[in-house]
Amino acid sequence: MNDFVIGSDILDIGSRKVDLRKRNQIAPAGSPPFLEIPNELPVPPVNNPAEFVRSNFSSACGNSDSKQEVKFAKGTTTLAFKFNGGIIVSVDSRSTMGAYIASGTVKKVIEINPFLLGTMAGGAADCSFWERNLGTQCRLYELRNGRRISVASAAQLLANTMASYRGYGLSMGTMITGWDETGPQLYYVDDDGTRLKGRYFSVGSGSTYAYGILDTHYRPDLTVEEAVDLGKRAIYHATHRDAYSGGINNLYHVTAEGWKFIHAIDVNDMHYQFEEERQNSMQE
């Protein structure tokens, strides 16, 4: 028997009330209700949400997710490195679902505040949501303490959040970088709550190719022009060899005055530029 009041149902069409009613109707007896609280993640209507997510939606490598109905298919290239002139953050813009290119214009650098940047690798929704949530936490810290949060503390906040959701199927490999009272700082944070400090990192399916360029040509005493060129070349070579990376190369330069957007260049244009350079060098 339907207990809904017809008048209320009509008024509720298209609202969250109808969706909530449907969810609660199909939920097994004794299962927890869906969380309908702002800034809270909804959980599956089963007795053990963590185990359900871990078994059916885990982000895995190789064929370890072959028994899952839902498989994560990821692909990207992001990198960042410190040098004497600041920090370079360089990324591609291709979003893939396996062999399907979902988008070629994804913005994979999250501008957390004027002095702090984050990168996206893994699940686009996970990275975007939690890094914007980090921006909220950083702003609250600034309001409470009257000064900007340090890069180390911002990275720790994100790592703490990831640790609290460990095993719930999040997929994130991000870099948190910026300039604070101690100078330029760079951290890697992933969905396990891992937090690493370093001179340079590359994350994504094309990271091995990017690391090859960084390991070969990186020096702390690079000029700004050389650093920009290195960031650009590393992304180009990754997109050239990795089918899941491509689109536009977006590059940022972080200094004591804050971050500055340098360029957005189509990787196809870079291919012809670097191919011409190679041909000219072979003729000399």
Side-chain angles (χ1 to χ4, degrees):
M1 180 178 179
N2 193 341
D3 296 328
F4 291 168
V5 179
I6 295 178
S8 298
D9 287 348
I10 294 177
L11 293 176
D12 290 343
I13 290 176
S15 70
R16 298 180 66 189
K17 291 183 179 180
V18 174
D19 188 44
L20 180 58
R21 287 170 185 162
K22 290 180 180 178
R23 292 177 180 180
N24 291 335
Q25 281 182 330
I26 64 174
S31 63
F34 274 75
L35 297 179
E36 292 294 331
I37 306 172
N39 299 322
E40 293 288 343
L41 289 178
V43 296
V46 295
N47 291 326
N48 192 335
E51 181 60 31
F52 178 82
V53 171
R54 192 178 299 114
S55 302
N56 295 278
F57 299 96
S58 64
S59 177
C61 298
N63 295 322
S64 55
D65 61 352
S66 58
K67 296 181 180 179
Q68 294 181 192
E69 292 294 330
V70 177
K71 301 178 180 61
F72 281 91
K74 308 177 291 295
T76 188
T77 304
T78 63
L79 65 90
F81 60 87
K82 297 193 299 182
F83 69 110
N84 293 346
I87 308 162
I88 292 294
V89 179
S90 188
V91 301
D92 75 323
S93 67
R94 177 172 290 180
S95 174
T96 58
M97 300 167 62
Y100 173 69
I101 299 176
S103 175
T105 57
V106 176
K107 187 176 181 181
K108 297 184 182 180
V109 177
I110 305 296
E111 299 160 356
I112 298 173
N113 66 36
F115 293 85
L116 201 59
L117 295 174
T119 62
M120 292 172 49
D126 295 340
C127 294
S128 180
F129 178 86
W130 288 114
E131 288 186 41
R132 285 179 168 82
N133 175 269
L134 174 62
T136 301
Q137 296 184 60
C138 292
R139 180 56 178 158
L140 288 173
Y141 177 94
E142 185 176 346
L143 292 172
R144 288 167 179 160
N145 297 276
R147 59 186 177 88
R148 294 200 318 269
I149 191 171
S150 67
V151 181
S153 297
Q156 188 63 60
L157 285 174
L158 183 60
N160 291 345
T161 303
M162 292 300 98
S164 67
Y165 284 99
R166 183 184 297 150
Y168 277 77
L170 295 181
S171 176
M172 279 184 62
T174 183
M175 291 170 284
I176 302 298
T177 185
W179 198 293
D180 57 26
E181 297 172 350
T182 61
Q185 301 294 331
L186 174 61
Y187 289 86
Y188 165 80
V189 179
D190 67 16
D191 51 75
D192 283 334
T194 301
R195 172 178 169 270
L196 302 173
K197 183 178 181 180
R199 289 181 302 167
Y200 60 83
F201 293 108
S202 183
V203 188
S205 57
S207 61
T208 52
Y209 308 108
Y211 269 128
I213 302 301
L214 292 174
D215 290 340
T216 303
H217 299 288
Y218 172 79
R219 319 189 306 271
D221 61 345
L222 291 168
T223 66
V224 174
E225 292 75 17
E226 290 173 333
V228 169
D229 185 70
L230 176 58
K232 182 170 68 172
R233 287 177 184 271
I235 290 295
Y236 160 70
H237 283 282
T239 59
H240 185 62
R241 295 295 181 184
D242 176 38
Y244 306 107
S245 302
I248 305 296
N249 170 223
N250 293 307
L251 190 143
Y252 289 73
H253 180 207
V254 184
T255 66
E257 285 73 42
W259 56 260
K260 179 181 179 183
F261 180 71
I262 301 299
H263 68 228
I265 304 176
D266 194 310
V267 296
N268 291 322
D269 295 337
M270 287 197 289
H271 173 76
Y272 293 109
Q273 174 191 343
F274 295 144
E275 179 65 20
E276 183 179 355
E277 288 183 9
R278 188 176 73 88
Q279 293 293 339
N280 292 338
S281 63
M282 293 175 62
Q283 293 175 2
E284 293 177 356

